Amino acid sequence: MLRRRFNRTCLSPLDLAVCERVFNQVCADEQLDPLDPDAEILAVLVVAIFRNAHTGERELLEAVKSRRQKARAAVRTPKMN
């Protein structure tokens, strides 16, 4: 039981490396300073999506980019009442 809980809550060094590469790629693509507060939000998003079974680097990158595009579109599109 403890092992199962550990696996869901902790990331291995390999997992962290995948998340870091995706984070760095998105920062480069969006010209986002990794020390910017928005980058912290990005880091949380990367890890959250990774934990939802997108563990392949390419799949994770595409999922993160897609989620960010949807979020930007939602901010730009005003809601009609």
Side-chain angles (χ1 to χ4, degrees), residues 18-19 21-27 29-30 41-50 54 56-72:
V18 168
C19 291
R21 286 192 298 272
V22 168
F23 172 82
N24 289 337
Q25 183 63 52
V26 174
C27 283
D29 291 348
E30 297 183 8
I41 295 167
L42 171 61
V44 170
L45 178 65
V46 170
V47 172
I49 293 174
F50 181 90
H54 292 284
E57 188 169 338
R58 185 174 301 168
E59 180 184 359
L60 178 60
L61 180 60
E62 291 305 315
V64 170
K65 286 182 175 184
S66 175
R67 185 75 54 89
R68 288 182 60 84
Q69 286 173 349
K70 288 177 184 174
R72 281 193 297 271

